[in-house]
Amino acid sequence: MKKFNFRKVLDGLTAASPVGSSGGGSGSGAGGSVHPGGTAGAAGTPREEIQETLTSDYFQICKTVRHGFPYLPTALAFDPVQKILAIGTRTGAIRILGRPGVDCYCQHESGAAVLQLQFLINEGALVSACADDALHLWNLRQKRPAILHSLKFNRERITYCHLPFQSKWLYVGTERGNTHIVNIESFILSGYVIMWNKAIELSTKTHPGPVVHLSDSPRDEGKLLIGYENGTIVFWDLRSKRADLRAYYDEAIHSVAWHHEGKQFMCSHSDGSLTLWNLKNPNRPFQTTIPHGKVQRDGKKPESCKPILKVEYKTCKNSEPFVVFSGGLSYDKPCRRPSLTIMHGKAITVLEMDHPIVDFLTLCETPYPNEFQEPYAVVVLLEKDLIVVDLTQTNFPIFENPYPIDIHESPVTCTEYFADCPPDLIPVLYSVGAKHKKQGYSNKEWPISGGAWNLGAQTYPEIIITGHADGSVKFWDASAITLQMLYKLKTSKVFEKQKVGEGKATAEIVEEDPFAVQMMYWCPESRIFCVAGVSAYVIVYRFSKHEVNTEIASLEVRLQCEVEDIITPEPETNPPFPDASSQLPSLKSLSGSTNTVACEGTMKDSIPCLSVKARPVRMPPGYQADLVIQLVWVDGEPPQQITSLAVNSAYGLVAFGNCNGLAVVDFMQKTVLLSMGTLDLYGSSDPYQRQPRSPRKNRQFAAGLTELSDSPVSLELERCKSPTSENRENSFSRSRSSSVSSIDRDSKEAITALFFMESFARKNDSAVSSCLWVGTGLGMVIILSLNLPASDDLRQSEPVMVSPSGTVLTLKGAVLTFACLDCMGTLTHQPYEVWRDPHSADDGDKARKRKLVMHSPSSSQDMGDHQFAVICSEKQAKVFSLPSQTCLYVHNITETSFLLRADVVTLCNSVCLACFCANGHIMTLSLPSLRPLLDMNYLPVTDMRIARTFCFTNEGQALYLSSPTEIQRLTYSQEMCDNLQDMLGDLFTPVETPEAQNRGFLKGLFGGSGQAFDREELFGEATAGKASRSLAQHIPGSGGIEGVRGAAGGVIGDLTRARIALDERGQKLGELDERTASMMASAEAFSKHAHEVMLKYKDKKWYQF
């Protein structure tokens, strides 16, 4: 069964139009079908030869794993036996983390913020309370957790939940001050309710406020401590249904913590105070401290501080107890950073954090609340980070975090994804990256070590590269659905630091983050890496294992529109000029200039936006800058940002373009080969015969790359922007029209795609040659011929010539990507130079000899003498036969939307075209015939971040930035979807619950025992009755049967299976009752009707009817 959407195919059939005008040399064109029939001449023959192996059965889309820090976190929970951590977020997501490799993402359908999380300790389950007043029970005994039950409160708002260890009854506090009790197994509300007016004294005239704390006494499970916001504390006896004692404090309560013996408890308050209460004397706290308050000289109470939002009180057998709290700092230091305070005996340690604290948890050796807690670590959840503090060492060092949660250390501006890359790259990158590791971490093992993860069947290496707003680039090992940072490159290090006040020099092109990475190009085989920055520069990097101290070579390029057409109405061919701008005055003297177009006279001209370091620079092992190319100001106009980038190590060339034109640079000889306006690239081949025009004076600049807000944007508005507003949002701001009217309106035509290839440049060519394919924002494809020196020995001395071939092809919409297939339909890789260390110790001639891999098609008889060029624009895809330049196939991908990303990728030893559309559809097309194989509405593009970061790679993998802090990976391969279960980690592993120390005689003597207090008897329906139906609504979850499979073998599994069977049986019985009642009613109606008919015709003869 084909997986693509059949309706979309029909749309394509009706929308497809004849390709009579498909550009220079398109021959007779193709028919109007989705993949038209063979055209005249040789075009029909290759189609019969190529057997396409991919069918729609090879494709299926599913999310695989999410990496990074949970966006907008709100809640934290830890299972001390399973040793797994859960984080809830404002968007309704839950991330569950264990040992490295165990990382699970789940999402509430409602999208409501998670208020609180509670593990059923060592049971493989989790309760979440959400802002829409719903409770959910998640089954963690399966690799993809699912909801077993939900309970939606209708009349009251949930404020706090508490689940005692090894209990099946959950206490739920509400905004009205009431406490309800929920059976975790059935998720049904008990009839037992603690009403606020019963809990407080009758003489109290004011409402105590919402419930902010619930906990059972460590000494007696039959006693419940209820904390109300206004400072009231009630110690409720669950058996006798009355308050044992009440305590009042004149400051609002934020949290409460018990001493493990159950005789004392501590409260944190809104005035920065901590109060310690004794159950024997509840009239007033026996100790009140304001830890960060200044002591007054006259003996008065210390001054108030900021609220202490949470306190934890943990005891140790062989030392003083630990008191850990967040907040409580003095008001007189407004600039102090958010802090966590650890009080241990008389020592007070304040740990300053980089971000506000959301929540924290103290990790203890025992899950039992009535034993010495023996805390060993504190997990601190910050707004943008997760840290774990080691409490076992006196200086409280933090643990080294093994999770990739620092993706957003600087906002991500672009991504690239490489699957099945050379296997030696990961260890090499790791070896140079490991040298930059920080010191001073705890020497203990990472304490969140639960779950199990094994390397799956998928073993090919994968690398993800992220570019960031501060100019840094991070290389990540993404093999086997994990993520680990390998190496970090700081591209800003090639430039001089901007002094305060000098930043305005670049403000006309970039308001902030002048080093933000806009594009990246990586050749894994040659290890050449190239970066295009937002300040209109390109840096070429080479990889070396040796440290060097050298000067950075730099070039400057003028790339601007032609002069006013009033002065020169005829197209003026601007010859490719060499590096004429290298003899410019010193950059330092000009970098401080602040006027863009100076009114009093001096006009910025031939100045780059940034200053390259002129002195020798120490470059550590890893990627080392080989060449910096900067676009310069021209006649007071700032350089436009770069919109396309390509590098080829075999040719030694880098090409880049913007909305003004194209530049080609020889990075081996460090010379500019070509710097030409887009119109001049056509020569006499411009199909529209346009006149060059002057640049617009009213420049438009869009928002910065770093503005990764989640606010929806109007894509239609973005689509209407003209090509002159080429900016940091280049993926959206291209001209969305290829109509003649838009060309008349504005002559600027952005270069949107570049591709180096061994190809046929002209129709009459009998052999392939080195070419540069250039795609523009108006759907034009121009092929440039590259004349390289015949022998490699002459490469450093002989000039490289770049010239237009005269070949122009056309598509509808801006060109996105190119690829080349040989005559057998196999993907032809670009030529490359095999990597060699540029600073190798053995400097002989043999070592310096370049080893090139050209990937030229075989010249043997059976291989043929033609190739296929695959070109995809934002509207359609075309396959041309070369050298005849006949358009063999065309597929109109979308009429109403436009593509954001298209990549030619390999899958199952075959090749296909993968596309991501702005309307959220992911599509794949076969090659070369462009048959639709998959079309699924996956993800509506609600913000620029998704558009900018979405990318496909080989083996059916893709990724995008799902939030400013998280990378979402997905697969479009059916095989990987089938194997995903084996690749994911297990959240639940069978672990014995540790035995309680205080069992037996002592516990019976000094405190209540579990047997003495039967919650079932108190809260069950037999005693407590049923809760009001209107109070809460039970919703069965979708994770039932899968959950049973996951829990099979355990007691919970049996219970769950029995419960679901009972639920189903009850449901069926209910349905049977309804059907029976319905049948009885219809039978009664029929009987009545029959009786009436009988009476009517009783006395009539047969002939009277």
Side-chain angles (χ1 to χ4, degrees), residues 618-850:
R618 187 189 75 83
M619 298 184 188
Y623 274 106
Q624 299 167 349
D626 189 51
L627 176 65
V628 180
I629 310 153
Q630 295 193 87
L631 294 179
V632 295
W633 289 66
V634 178
D635 300 331
E637 285 283 315
Q640 295 294 313
Q641 290 171 0
I642 290 160
T643 56
S644 54
L645 176 68
V647 191
N648 190 280
S649 56
Y651 302 161
L653 303 179
V654 56
F656 58 93
N658 63 10
C659 65
N660 288 328
L662 171 73
V664 181
V665 173
D666 181 341
F667 64 80
M668 294 178 72
Q669 295 186 28
K670 312 285 192 285
T671 56
V672 180
L673 302 177
L674 180 88
S675 173
M676 194 179 271
T678 312
L679 298 189
D680 297 324
L681 293 172
Y682 292 101
S684 59
S685 307
D686 184 2
Y688 298 110
Q689 296 300 310
R690 290 161 288 182
Q691 301 294 319
R693 300 189 183 182
S694 65
R696 278 192 174 179
K697 289 289 180 276
N698 54 332
R699 295 182 306 279
Q700 300 173 28
F701 297 101
L705 268 172
T706 53
E707 290 180 8
L708 299 174
S709 67
D710 277 297
S711 56
V713 285
S714 166
L715 298 184
E716 289 304 315
L717 183 70
E718 289 292 337
R719 295 179 64 220
C720 296
K721 287 186 184 174
S722 72
T724 47
S725 59
E726 277 299 331
N727 49 40
R728 298 162 95 173
E729 307 292 4
N730 60 79
S731 60
F732 269 73
S733 60
R734 287 191 295 268
S735 166
R736 297 297 173 196
S737 165
S738 58
S739 66
V740 180
S741 60
S742 71
I743 294 162
D744 289 340
R745 207 166 45 244
D746 204 314
S747 64
K748 281 197 176 186
E749 184 175 1
I751 306 294
T752 56
L754 294 165
F755 184 66
F756 287 103
M757 197 61 222
E758 293 287 296
S759 182
F760 298 95
R762 299 170 186 83
K763 267 191 178 183
N764 305 327
D765 286 2
S766 57
V768 294
S769 59
S770 304
C771 296
L772 172 61
W773 290 62
V774 181
T776 77
L778 298 179
M780 302 295 165
V781 177
I782 305 156
I783 303 178
L784 302 182
S785 291
L786 308 174
N787 193 352
L788 296 155
S791 70
D792 192 51
D793 301 334
L794 302 171
R795 179 64 185 85
Q796 289 287 1
S797 54
E798 292 285 318
V800 178
M801 303 299 292
V802 183
S803 57
S805 66
T807 299
V808 178
L809 309 170
T810 65
L811 285 87
K812 197 168 25 169
V815 178
L816 295 180
T817 193
F818 297 103
C820 201
L821 310 179
D822 65 18
C823 59
M824 303 304 291
T826 307
L827 186 65
T828 309
H829 290 279
Q830 294 186 23
Y832 64 87
E833 176 192 355
V834 176
W835 177 77
R836 61 194 170 94
D837 199 319
H839 306 296
S840 179
D842 42 312
D843 232 341
D845 289 339
K846 198 173 181 182
R848 309 265 38 97
K849 184 87 174 165
R850 298 169 76 222

Side-chain angles (χ1 to χ4, degrees), residues 1053-1069:
D1054 297 334
L1055 285 169
T1056 312
R1057 199 179 296 108
R1059 185 167 64 247
I1060 288 169
L1062 281 169
D1063 282 352
E1064 287 176 354
R1065 185 164 173 257
Q1067 199 175 343
K1068 285 173 183 170
L1069 284 169

Side-chain angles (χ1 to χ4, degrees), residues 370-545:
N370 58 353
E371 298 177 355
F372 281 104
Q373 297 298 287
E374 306 296 347
Y376 60 88
V378 182
V379 179
V380 189
L381 177 64
L382 308 176
E383 272 188 8
K384 293 186 177 179
D385 203 357
L386 177 74
I387 65 165
V388 183
V389 181
D390 185 354
L391 291 181
T392 62
Q393 296 179 48
T394 50
N395 60 337
F396 302 132
I398 65 168
F399 289 85
E400 185 173 8
N401 197 318
Y403 308 132
I405 60 167
D406 57 346
I407 290 169
H408 64 289
E409 186 178 19
S410 171
V412 177
T413 52
C414 56
T415 56
E416 291 296 335
Y417 190 6
F418 298 86
D420 209 7
C421 46
D424 59 335
L425 275 175
I426 288 174
V428 162
L429 286 167
Y430 184 77
S431 67
V432 294
K435 290 168 186 169
H436 307 301
K437 296 272 181 182
K438 291 179 186 172
Q439 302 301 314
Y441 289 112
S442 169
N443 53 11
K444 297 278 180 71
E445 289 287 314
W446 179 251
I448 305 161
S449 56
W453 180 78
N454 297 312
L455 195 67
Q458 178 193 325
T459 53
Y460 51 81
E462 297 172 71
I463 290 176
I464 291 170
I465 310 177
T466 54
H468 299 264
D470 64 354
S472 61
V473 174
K474 293 179 181 178
F475 291 75
W476 305 83
D477 176 7
S479 309
I481 69 169
T482 61
L483 196 70
Q484 182 185 6
M485 195 165 92
L486 295 170
Y487 173 68
K488 182 178 178 179
L489 171 67
K490 293 180 179 175
T491 64
S492 60
K493 285 194 170 181
V494 304
F495 299 106
E496 296 285 1
K497 283 185 180 174
Q498 288 182 298
K499 292 174 186 172
V500 178
E502 286 191 1
K504 292 178 184 173
T506 62
E508 285 305 302
I509 183 165
V510 184
E511 288 183 7
E512 53 184 24
D513 301 316
F515 307 113
V517 178
Q518 197 172 16
M519 281 184 178
M520 301 177 293
Y521 194 101
W522 191 42
C523 174
E525 290 80 12
S526 65
R527 301 186 191 171
I528 291 274
F529 182 63
C530 200
V531 164
V534 78
S535 297
Y537 62 81
V538 170
I539 310 174
V540 180
Y541 286 92
R542 288 182 183 271
F543 188 85
S544 174
K545 294 180 180 178

Side-chain angles (χ1 to χ4, degrees), residues 8-19:
K8 286 283 168 190
V9 178
L10 290 176
D11 290 346
L13 283 164
T14 52
S17 56
V19 198

